[in-house]
Amino acid sequence: MNANLKGFVRNIPLHLMLVPGLIVILIYNYIPMAGLIIAFQDFSPIGGFRVMNWVGLDNFKYLFELPGFYQVVWNTVFISVMKIIAGLTVPVLVALLLNEVRSSGFKRSVQTIIYMPHFFSWVVLAGILIDVLSPSGGLVNMALKAAGHPPIQFLASNDWFPYVLVISDQWKEFGFGTIIYLAALTSIDSSLYEAAVMDGAGRWKQTWHITLPGIRPIMILMLTLSLGNVLNGGFDQVFNLYNPLVYESGDILDTMIYRIGLQDAQYSVSTALGLIKSVVSFLFIGLGYYLAYRIANYRIF
């Protein structure tokens, strides 16, 4: 028995532990892909899949000619790209700042506080945001009023709504990213900092020449993983915060799929839109891993 076979036999219990997860993925992720055939049909729930009313690419043509479709695509890309940029920079900055704190108790307290929103659903956080940003009695507008500024309709203004989405998304998730980068910082060899101090390097040069290059592989990994979300503006967040007044700037592909498919019962059109979104996201994931390999020699296999 060769070494590879011995290793496989030895790890059989570990492989068996993967079986329940693989079954769940198969049932909920792969088997439903058979329903993509609806995108090329005039589907009716009454007839089901047995009635094959093929329409070819008509559903896709209908989407491309739909008023406001390209605005929705732009909204999705704009919001997603801003979230990706903020999701990369904010956690890194906070991790660098926390790394300079010498009090372990204070550092752990701050980590707990900023990480806590990650565990709340958007249903809860949306209710908090609606109250905080209320133009009549919200804390933010009360502060603006005290400063002599008129109240702002944050959740009813197309100028403000996309940025509210980005800021609130960071409020919820930057604590999780911060912990990842703090863990990456612990892997940097401390002797590099000692050598830099002996060479007369200050904290800024140490950060620029040692800390940031040390966590660069993790930054590239996080950026690569986030590229697949270029067309995911965050359905849970947007659905709980938006309203018809901000459709122009806040409507994204996921909410459009929801309205077309579940509210308007245009199942074929919504499936076609979902297929387009999935294919483009897959291409971005492939592009992300290619760039990670070319730039940082990062490989997943």
Side-chain angles (χ1 to χ4, degrees):
M1 185 180 294
N2 58 41
N4 292 333
L5 184 57
K6 287 182 178 179
F8 176 80
V9 173
R10 185 172 60 251
N11 292 322
I12 283 180
L14 299 178
H15 295 152
L16 292 176
M17 293 174 62
L18 296 174
V19 172
L22 292 175
I23 292 175
V24 171
I25 292 175
L26 179 66
I27 294 175
Y28 291 101
N29 291 82
Y30 284 93
I31 293 179
M33 290 179 67
L36 292 177
I37 195 176
I38 297 175
F40 306 94
Q41 295 178 325
D42 183 14
F43 178 78
S44 173
I46 299 176
F49 291 102
R50 294 172 297 178
V51 181
M52 298 295 185
N53 296 322
W54 294 101
V55 295
L57 299 177
D58 288 353
N59 291 320
F60 297 91
K61 295 178 182 178
Y62 173 79
L63 274 175
F64 294 142
E65 296 173 355
L66 200 64
F69 172 74
Y70 294 101
Q71 180 64 43
V72 172
V73 173
W74 165 251
N75 293 342
T76 306
V77 174
F78 179 68
I79 293 171
S80 300
V81 169
M82 287 199 301
K83 286 183 177 181
I84 291 173
I85 295 173
L88 180 66
T89 55
V90 174
V92 170
L93 291 175
V94 176
L96 293 176
L97 292 174
L98 283 178
N99 191 51
E100 298 297 322
V101 176
R102 294 294 172 258
S103 173
S104 59
F106 177 78
K107 182 186 294 187
R108 287 196 297 268
S109 300
V110 173
Q111 286 180 256
T112 301
I113 293 172
I114 65 177
Y115 189 38
M116 194 176 300
H118 174 76
F119 296 99
F120 290 96
S121 70
W122 273 114
V123 177
V124 176
L125 294 180
I128 296 174
L129 282 171
I130 290 172
D131 287 338
V132 171
L133 300 178
S134 172
S136 56
L139 293 177
V140 175
N141 276 303
M142 288 177 65
L144 291 175
K145 187 182 296 185
H149 194 283
I152 299 175
Q153 299 274 355
F154 289 102
L155 299 179
S157 170
N158 286 302
D159 295 329
W160 284 98
F161 187 73
Y163 303 100
V164 170
L165 294 177
V166 176
I167 295 172
S168 59
D169 178 74
Q170 286 308 298
W171 170 47
K172 184 178 188 297
E173 300 295 346
F174 86 95
F176 178 80
T178 299
I179 291 177
I180 293 176
Y181 291 116
L182 283 173
L185 289 171
T186 61
S187 65
I188 300 176
D189 189 355
S190 59
S191 63
L192 296 175
Y193 293 103
E194 297 172 1
V197 171
M198 294 182 64
D199 290 338
R203 298 302 300 175
W204 169 249
K205 288 188 176 181
Q206 293 177 39
T207 300
W208 185 257
H209 294 289
I210 298 176
T211 306
L212 290 179
I215 63 175
R216 185 177 65 176
I218 300 300
M219 294 173 63
I220 292 176
L221 173 62
M222 298 300 291
L223 178 61
T224 300
L225 294 176
S226 64
L227 283 179
N229 294 320
V230 169
L231 293 185
N232 292 326
F235 173 78
D236 292 344
Q237 179 193 21
V238 178
F239 182 75
N240 284 284
L241 288 175
Y242 85 150
N243 57 77
L245 294 176
V246 290
Y247 277 179
E248 181 182 344
S249 64
D251 196 17
I252 60 175
L253 289 174
D254 287 330
T255 54
M256 187 177 185
I257 292 172
Y258 169 81
R259 289 200 313 277
I260 293 177
L262 296 182
Q263 293 185 351
D264 299 339
Q266 299 184 54
Y267 303 109
S268 297
V269 178
S270 62
T271 303
L273 182 54
L275 179 58
I276 294 173
K277 176 176 172 291
S278 299
V279 170
V280 175
S281 297
F282 175 76
L283 294 176
F284 271 107
I285 291 174
L287 175 63
Y289 282 116
Y290 173 77
L291 293 177
Y293 168 71
R294 297 293 296 179
I295 297 173
N297 198 29
Y298 170 79
R299 300 183 183 183
I300 57 176
F301 301 111

